[in-house]
Amino acid sequence: MRQLSLADAIREAMIQEMRRDSSVILMGEDVGRFNGAFHVSHGMLDEFGPTRVWDTPISEAGFMGMGIGAALTGLRPIIEFQYADFMFCAMDQIVNEAAKLRLMSGGQASVPLVMRAPQGATGRAAQHSQSVEAYFMHTPGLYLAMPSTPYDAKGLMISAIRSNDPVLILEHKLLYGAASPGGGKALTDQTISDIGSDVPEEAYTIPLGKADVKRAGTDVTIIATLIMVHRALAVAAELEKEGISCEVIDPRTLVPLDEETILESVKKTNRVVIASEDVARGGVGSELTAMIARKAFDHLDAPVACVSADNSPIPFGPAAELRVVPQISDIRQAVYQVLKD
Amino acid sequence: MTIRKPEDLVTPLDFSGMDQELLKTLFLRMVRAREFEEQLYYLFLTTKMPGTMHQATGQEAVAVGVASVLNKDDYVTSNHRGHGHCIAKDVPLDLMMAEMFAKRNGVCKGMGGSMHLCDFSKGMLGAFGIVGAGIPIASGAALSAKVRGTQQVAVSFFGDGAINEGVFHESLNMASLWKLPVVYVIENNQYALSMPNELVSAVTDLSTRGCGYNIPGETVDGNNVTAVYKAASRAVERARKGEGPFLLECITYRMRGHARFEPAEYRNKEEVELWSQYDPIKRFKEAALETGVLTEAGLSAIEEQVEHEIEAAIAFAQAGEDVGAEDYKQFIYELDNTTKDGLK
Ligand SMILES: Cc1ncc(C[n+]2csc(CCOP(=O)(O)OP(=O)(O)O)c2C)c(N)n1
Ligand SMILES: [Mg+2]
């Protein structure tokens, strides 16, 4: 089968859906003439023209709101935020409008739109590095997908476009693949594996709310998202040599969350590590820990360990960024910790 | 699509009413800003300079012309393309360079980097990586000056792209309503990343954007440092007298790519070549020599001085200690901070 990069897979999904359904449009900063800041929309303006691919001004609140208006009236917009950090400029439209319209209208309104945003720390300091999932996981009315592999990205993107409710797809800059400027593998990080880069040519969907067991194991469950999936797999491969068997689960969507797959694994291994790049406080790790504590407390042989970013804005200095953001060694430490007794 | 032609915009430099000291300062600051940017390019190629950068090469006359009107305690906010604004406000080159290298002796202790340079001792309140973010913040500094009853003025530098953010409009309205001492400077380098003005702004005469808020505006040749200086003087004086905000559009051109090694393939070669003939530093030199306000020797002495300053700044930066892994912990809150392990 063909191997695609994550950026290529997302693009293919968007293009196939846009060919299939003329109500799908793309909007965002530099998505057309420039092919997208990370080249995810390469060639799409050429194929679909300016009434389907809209190069917007730098007006995040405005074009997000326009996406909602268009979605309410028959279109299926895909809104690209150039960096996830800039979603905060559009927070009102996302949180107060997109997420709430279905309920506020008593079910009259559907907001079938997709937001896409690259996130993650890559040396660009505090305002271009954030992992934003917790803000949106906390917002009922939105779905939240986080593809760690090209295969998942394509299937989730197509499901998102076909969803009649708003879906946010968070992509990690370091997972885009080498052709993406500013994306690609970090030189210091040899951990991004090729798993899931075989991508079928035809369109397919991955249902929102279906986790994927990226590696089966018996001693400890590592739940990880985005680049942490790759770091967890690297740890699992290492620890195998020490006779430790790790199961790596990627929830793929945080909303809806596939509790069943997670709990099944917890009941098997009785030990859990959660690895995600958002900050610890009020974050993904805390939320999943709470869910596991509520639903599988009796099955735990050790406290759940959360490997998350430290509670800090991302500092510029590379050593400090590395310390704040979870690394392979942090995940390995956490596995040892939950296996201690 | 039309990009502005320099021939239609360019005005001759006019040194009247400007003494030699001032002219030397303008030249010195412009050359500093230029050399700083150009050196960065090589440093990114040849050393382990981390992160990214946005060069303001070719836009020096805007930063320098405006900031040279200001007092030391006047305020400035800047954007992602902020090195020149800092230099024009006399932020020390060595501290800036150390910041670029993520050193502990950097102006922001290596915590902010290129996109977040600031120096509160110089009234430089921050470069912001979020487009438009500095506009309300400068306006707030102006509000503060008014409340505190000082004579300070605030200037916000931002790009042609930033005027399409809501905060631009919200800020202009409040500043006009409350007659705040703030000058808004649109550094119109004609592109916002890949997008030329005309494809993202319903009006291309950007200084007219103040009309709806009863804010007067003016458009000047932004590669002409004397024109920028004089227009900024009028705007700042007005603000200082309590007559309210002003919208100054300075038309210039970005001589390099958007960021680091971005090749800017969305512009054609002829356009770039044409505009580089209107290099603000070159124009200043030619006019200064032609009119005899400065001598060849005088200008070369300044250029040499800058060369040494930059060399010294690089040496200072490279000798500095790298940011330590735990340094950030002291900067999250003023008091002993909360990190992963809870309150310590
Ligand atoms: C809120 C926000 N949206 C988008 C960006 C990405 N971005 C950074 S600079 C830039 C273009 C800015 O253009 P302009 O304001 O004209 O400044 P210039 O780069 O030309 O100096 C864009 C789109 C950002 N940093 N912040
Ligand atoms: Mg611009």
Side-chain angles (χ1 to χ4, degrees):
Chain A
M1 206 182 291
R2 305 164 311 153
Q3 296 220 318
L4 291 188
S5 73
L6 191 115
D8 292 340
I10 292 171
R11 182 185 320 113
E12 185 166 279
M14 294 195 289
I15 289 175
Q16 288 178 346
E17 286 301 284
M18 285 179 74
R19 285 180 187 154
R20 188 185 67 83
D21 178 351
S22 64
S23 68
V24 181
I25 63 167
L26 174 67
M27 296 182 93
E29 290 156 14
D30 306 285
V31 297
R33 291 159 45 90
F34 193 59
N35 295 312
F38 293 94
H39 285 204
V40 177
S41 51
H42 194 100
M44 290 177 66
L45 176 62
D46 287 343
E47 174 166 353
F48 297 103
T51 58
R52 306 279 307 278
V53 175
W54 292 80
D55 265 323
T56 66
I58 310 174
S59 307
E60 289 84 5
F63 65 72
M64 176 63 208
M66 285 195 177
I68 298 171
L72 289 173
T73 53
L75 299 188
R76 291 182 172 273
I78 304 167
I79 308 292
E80 175 180 303
F81 291 94
Q82 203 163 77
Y83 283 70
D85 312 70
F86 314 153
M87 292 183 74
F88 299 142
C89 298
M91 212 60 172
D92 167 62
Q93 291 293 333
I94 300 168
V95 175
N96 283 327
E97 279 79 38
K100 298 182 175 35
L101 268 159
R102 179 176 296 283
L103 179 126
M104 294 190 299
S105 68
Q108 297 174 73
S110 281
V111 185
L113 69 76
V114 180
M115 296 167 271
R116 293 185 35 242
Q119 69 167 16
T122 59
R124 291 168 168 97
Q127 296 183 329
H128 288 70
S129 299
Q130 294 166 87
S131 288
V132 304
E133 50 271 42
Y135 294 92
F136 300 101
M137 187 174 61
H138 190 69
T139 303
L142 302 180
Y143 289 130
L144 174 54
M146 309 193 59
S148 66
T149 71
Y151 177 85
D152 291 349
K154 181 171 175 182
L156 289 168
M157 175 57 80
I158 292 179
S159 291
I161 294 171
R162 295 180 189 177
S163 161
N164 285 335
D165 284 305
V167 182
L168 168 59
I169 302 202
L170 293 173
E171 300 155 17
H172 199 291
K173 281 167 260 183
L174 290 178
L175 296 179
Y176 275 139
S180 159
K185 291 185 191 184
L187 294 175
T188 51
D189 190 341
Q190 303 303 322
T191 60
I192 298 166
S193 64
D194 289 335
I195 57 147
S197 51
D198 288 339
V199 180
E201 233 156 292
E202 68 278 6
Y204 59 93
T205 57
I206 294 174
L208 305 178
K210 190 79 202 78
D212 190 37
V213 179
K214 297 292 183 198
R215 180 189 172 112
T218 51
D219 297 332
V220 55
T221 300
I222 309 177
I223 306 166
T225 58
L226 295 180
I227 196 164
M228 294 305 153
V229 173
H230 297 265
R231 292 188 181 154
L233 287 168
V235 168
E238 271 174 40
L239 293 184
E240 184 176 29
K241 296 177 203 138
E242 299 175 20
I244 300 171
S245 164
C246 301
E247 177 146 299
V248 178
I249 297 186
D250 178 355
R252 296 197 294 198
T253 59
L254 288 174
V255 183
L257 181 66
D258 181 354
E259 297 185 356
E260 208 179 299
T261 301
I262 292 171
L263 292 172
E264 211 171 281
S265 175
V266 173
K267 286 171 189 169
K268 176 173 68 177
T269 65
N270 314 112
R271 296 167 199 274
V272 185
V273 169
I274 302 166
S276 77
E277 195 175 314
D278 63 321
V279 299
R281 194 162 55 228
V284 171
S286 307
E287 178 62 22
L288 296 187
T289 302
M291 187 278 288
I292 292 166
R294 280 196 301 267
K295 301 192 174 171
F297 187 79
D298 293 341
H299 296 274
L300 288 176
D301 286 347
V304 173
C306 290
V307 182
S308 337
D310 208 350
N311 291 319
S312 169
I314 306 289
F316 171 57
E321 180 189 291
L322 276 179
R323 176 61 55 88
V324 169
V325 174
Q327 303 299 318
I328 287 183
S329 54
D330 299 311
I331 300 176
R332 190 194 307 117
Q333 253 350 92
V335 172
Y336 287 144
Q337 188 191 314
V338 299
L339 285 171
K340 236 177 16 213
D341 34 35
Chain B
M1 192 189 58
T2 50
I3 285 299
R4 308 242 193 159
K5 296 224 177 12
E7 307 89 277
D8 304 338
L9 300 164
V10 162
T11 53
L13 277 82
D14 171 10
F15 298 111
S16 62
M18 302 174 89
D19 63 30
Q20 269 221 340
E21 267 328 289
L22 172 60
L23 294 179
K24 281 186 178 166
T25 303
L26 294 177
F27 186 67
L28 173 66
R29 287 178 171 155
M30 287 202 293
V31 175
R32 272 185 188 148
R34 171 66 54 89
E35 282 309 303
F36 190 84
E37 300 290 25
E38 295 300 89
Q39 277 306 316
L40 285 186
Y41 190 84
Y42 294 104
L43 291 170
F44 265 101
L45 283 174
T46 58
T47 68
K48 283 200 181 135
M49 185 165 268
T52 187
M53 62 158 175
H54 301 80
Q55 294 167 288
T57 313
Q59 305 180 196
E60 295 84 358
V62 181
V64 172
V66 173
S68 299
V69 170
L70 300 177
N71 299 331
K72 189 175 166 194
D73 69 345
D74 285 332
Y75 298 116
V76 165
T77 67
S78 166
N79 62 356
H80 56 284
R81 203 175 301 288
H83 308 153
H85 306 137
C86 291
I87 290 169
K89 200 72 173 64
D90 284 338
V91 179
L93 296 178
D94 49 359
L95 302 186
M96 288 177 59
M97 192 60 88
E99 187 65 28
M100 296 294 303
F101 274 104
K103 300 290 187 172
R104 282 186 161 153
N105 55 357
V107 66
C108 300
K109 307 285 193 286
M111 292 293 111
S114 165
M115 271 195 282
H116 308 301
L117 292 171
C118 62
D119 183 346
F120 281 63
S121 71
K122 306 286 186 202
M124 176 67 208
L125 300 182
F128 296 91
I130 300 299
V131 167
I135 303 174
I137 291 171
S139 312
L143 180 133
S144 154
K146 187 171 170 130
V147 171
R148 289 180 288 114
T150 71
Q151 289 301 302
Q152 291 160 292
V153 167
V155 166
S156 184
F157 289 102
F158 48 90
D160 44 291
I163 64 173
N164 299 317
E165 286 284 16
V167 283
F168 168 82
H169 299 271
E170 298 178 21
S171 302
L172 262 63
N173 181 52
M174 286 185 275
S176 179
L177 186 66
W178 297 332
K179 280 211 168 6
L180 302 181
V182 53
V183 175
Y184 299 107
V185 179
I186 307 176
E187 199 159 347
N188 181 359
N189 61 10
Q190 309 193 56
Y191 287 86
L193 217 174
S194 70
M195 298 301 285
N197 290 177
E198 161 175 295
L199 296 183
V200 289
S201 179
V203 293
T204 45
D205 196 355
L206 305 184
S207 62
T208 64
R209 285 267 193 136
C211 289
Y213 308 105
N214 198 21
I215 295 180
E218 182 179 348
T219 297
V220 297
D221 170 2
N223 283 6
N224 174 343
V225 74
T226 64
V228 174
Y229 181 87
K230 287 173 180 176
S233 300
R234 293 188 290 273
V236 167
E237 198 178 317
R238 220 182 143 266
R240 234 187 267 290
K241 282 198 304 214
E243 293 171 16
F246 194 87
L247 182 58
L248 180 62
E249 179 195 16
C250 302
I251 299 183
T252 178
Y253 197 79
R254 190 185 78 208
M255 281 162 60
R256 302 275 174 263
H258 171 70
R260 215 160 55 150
F261 305 134
E262 193 273 303
E265 281 160 358
Y266 41 83
R267 319 192 289 197
N268 69 43
K269 236 170 109 189
E270 295 79 59
E271 177 193 313
V272 179
E273 270 165 22
L274 180 63
W275 268 97
S276 53
Q277 290 167 26
Y278 293 85
D279 177 333
I281 296 180
K282 188 173 130 222
R283 281 174 66 194
F284 179 91
K285 262 168 97 167
E286 283 169 6
L289 291 175
E290 202 175 297
T291 55
V293 291
L294 294 174
T295 63
E296 184 85 56
L299 293 170
S300 314
I302 290 174
E303 286 169 334
E304 258 166 55
Q305 177 193 334
V306 171
E307 213 172 290
H308 294 306
E309 284 175 358
I310 301 272
E311 260 170 42
I314 295 171
F316 173 85
Q318 287 183 322
E321 246 180 283
D322 286 338
V323 162
E326 306 260 314
D327 285 9
Y328 67 93
K329 292 191 175 175
Q330 23 173 340
F331 302 117
I332 304 168
Y333 297 100
E334 180 187 17
L335 300 178
D336 216 1
N337 54 73
T338 328
T339 59
K340 183 150 33 193
D341 311 321
L343 258 186
K344 281 187 253 170

